[in-house]
Amino acid sequence: MGSLVKEETSSLMTKFLEKCGGYAVVDGGFATELQRHGADINDPLWSAKCLITSPHLVTKVHLDYLESGANIIITASYQATIQGFVAKGLSVGEAESLLRRSVEIAYEAREIFYNRCTKGSWDFDYAGKASGQPVLVAASVGSYGAYLADGSEYSGIYGDSVSKETLKDFHRRRVQILEKSGADLIAFEAIPNKLEAEAYADLLEEEEIDIPAWFSFTSKDGVSVPRGDSVVECAKVADSCKKVVAIGINCTSPRFIHDLIISLRQVTRKPIVVYPNSGEVYDGLNKKWIKSGEESEEDFVSYVSKWRDEGASLFGGCCRTTPNTIRAIAKVLSGECPAASKIKFEQ
């Protein structure tokens, strides 16, 4: 596992992007795909529930994205926390094993993919080059609010009683386990406030985490993270952390990405990763997706080349995007199809 892990942290992403031809493809929406394959994730654990009930579906989704051209697959651990698993009746040991298992499943999917490509058992767009398709496994870490499952991951408001030390204590053991799991990097995703970014940065340094990380923030207005902190100020936290090898935006409307890339580029020379949602808006209190008028049919794939021109290097999709979205992104980056091709999102 983790063939690139021993490289210097600062150079891993640069070298990986070179192997990918300068730009890399991240996978897409995970929960939507699990549901499409029949999973019931109406649970505080969300997609992490499938690590317990249907790990074969997790493998299936990873394979679908690899088949579509993804260079980075993100584990099903976004909402997998020791505290959350224990609340469901599991022991601490069982919870820690499930965190490790999330990474193992991703690696197993990668091996299956490579083996099938080598044997030519799949007939798909990337069959000719797939066996040489560089693939990293990113261990996902969701926010404290994701664990709470009360909508606060979309507001970034945790209350005055939650300090930076509270957040560090909450995340510490999970980060330690994922570091030793064999993952190539840790993806701190959908960060909703500056405080949690600071907690992550402190943990990476204090715990001397040996594998690199990326910090990905979310925004509702193209200027601030949900809590109201400036995206630029949040990015400065990430840029100052030597363990962070890429900085970006996810779970955000496509229409804000262009300006957000410009903002990030003002404060960092590290690679920028963008993986927006489909353009729909999630109602965290009622737990449902709402079409957002003009954006309900928006095809953000048509903007990938513009985002690339503004300085982004890694591109994928978040909520409500599909393997078809990722396949189209891969084709745009490789110049195989017009950027304006239409992609259908899950309804």
Side-chain angles (χ1 to χ4, degrees):
M1 289 185 183
S3 61
L4 297 177
V5 169
K6 294 183 180 180
E7 295 183 18
E8 291 187 9
T9 297
S10 61
S11 65
L12 180 138
M13 188 57 70
T14 299
K15 292 182 178 179
F16 179 70
L17 287 170
E18 289 175 357
K19 291 182 179 181
C20 294
Y23 304 98
V25 181
V26 183
D27 63 12
F30 212 88
T32 301
E33 288 303 292
L34 288 170
Q35 289 176 312
R36 188 168 69 86
H37 290 302
D40 177 9
I41 58 173
N42 184 19
D43 188 275
L45 291 176
W46 200 44
S47 56
K49 177 185 175 184
C50 290
L51 294 171
I52 303 170
T53 61
S54 45
H56 64 288
L57 294 183
V58 177
T59 301
K60 170 63 175 170
V61 174
H62 284 319
L63 284 169
D64 286 346
Y65 282 120
L66 288 169
E67 181 185 2
S68 299
N71 300 116
I72 298 177
I73 53 175
I74 302 175
T75 62
S77 54
Y78 175 82
Q79 212 142 315
T81 65
I82 296 170
Q83 298 90 335
F85 285 134
V86 169
K88 299 292 288 187
L90 280 69
S91 69
V92 171
E94 290 170 332
E96 293 182 352
S97 293
L98 284 170
L99 280 169
R100 297 185 189 98
R101 185 64 185 141
S102 70
V103 176
E104 291 170 358
I105 291 172
Y107 269 98
E108 289 166 2
R110 187 177 73 169
E111 290 307 306
I112 293 170
F113 172 70
Y114 279 154
N115 289 337
R116 289 181 175 179
C117 292
T118 301
K119 295 177 182 178
S121 59
W122 280 356
D123 179 19
F124 56 88
D125 293 341
Y126 297 88
K129 62 180 180 181
S131 61
Q133 180 178 325
V135 176
L136 292 183
V137 170
S140 174
V141 172
S143 68
Y144 178 67
Y147 153 71
L148 295 176
D150 61 357
S152 60
E153 67 179 303
Y154 303 101
S155 69
I157 300 173
Y158 299 155
D160 294 339
S161 63
V162 177
S163 66
K164 183 165 68 172
E165 291 302 316
T166 303
L167 295 174
K168 286 162 62 175
D169 290 343
F170 174 80
H171 289 293
R172 180 173 285 106
R173 184 58 182 154
R174 174 164 58 158
V175 171
Q176 291 173 335
I177 290 170
L178 292 175
E179 176 204 11
K180 302 299 184 183
S181 67
D184 291 302
L185 70 153
I186 300 176
F188 294 95
E189 302 190 275
I191 304 172
N193 57 51
K194 183 180 177 182
L195 184 67
E196 199 148 20
E198 293 172 338
Y200 290 148
D202 284 358
L203 274 180
L204 291 174
E205 298 291 347
E206 292 171 7
E207 299 299 325
E208 298 182 342
I209 300 302
D210 287 335
I211 64 174
W214 81 39
F215 281 16
S216 182
F217 300 92
T218 183
S219 177
K220 296 179 180 179
D221 60 6
V223 177
S224 306
V225 295
R227 182 65 178 87
D229 309 302
S230 162
V231 167
V232 168
E233 292 303 311
C234 290
K236 287 179 180 178
V237 173
D239 186 66
S240 66
C241 182
K242 294 179 180 179
K243 305 287 186 179
V244 175
V245 297
I247 303 172
I249 302 292
N250 78 294
C251 206
T252 295
S253 173
R255 67 190 174 107
F256 296 130
I257 297 300
H258 179 273
D259 289 346
L260 286 165
I261 293 171
I262 294 173
S263 295
L264 293 178
R265 192 47 80 208
Q266 291 175 4
V267 296
T268 187
R269 303 315 302 169
K270 295 179 180 181
I272 291 176
V273 52
V274 292
Y275 48 121
N277 58 33
S278 66
E280 295 166 273
V281 176
Y282 188 68
D283 180 345
L285 293 177
N286 296 309
K287 299 185 183 301
K288 64 180 181 179
W289 288 94
I290 302 172
K291 292 184 177 182
S292 55
E294 64 187 56
E295 287 192 325
S296 62
E297 298 295 327
E298 182 170 335
D299 170 20
F300 75 70
V301 175
S302 64
Y303 296 110
V304 168
S305 60
K306 295 178 182 178
W307 297 340
R308 178 181 56 193
D309 292 343
E310 288 299 337
S313 300
L314 301 100
F315 310 84
C318 198
C319 301
R320 307 284 280 183
T321 61
T322 72
N324 285 339
T325 316
I326 301 311
R327 182 176 289 107
I329 290 173
K331 287 185 174 182
V332 169
L333 293 176
S334 65
E336 293 182 16
C337 76
S341 60
K342 294 297 181 181
I343 303 301
K344 296 296 184 181
F345 297 110
E346 288 295 313
Q347 301 299 318

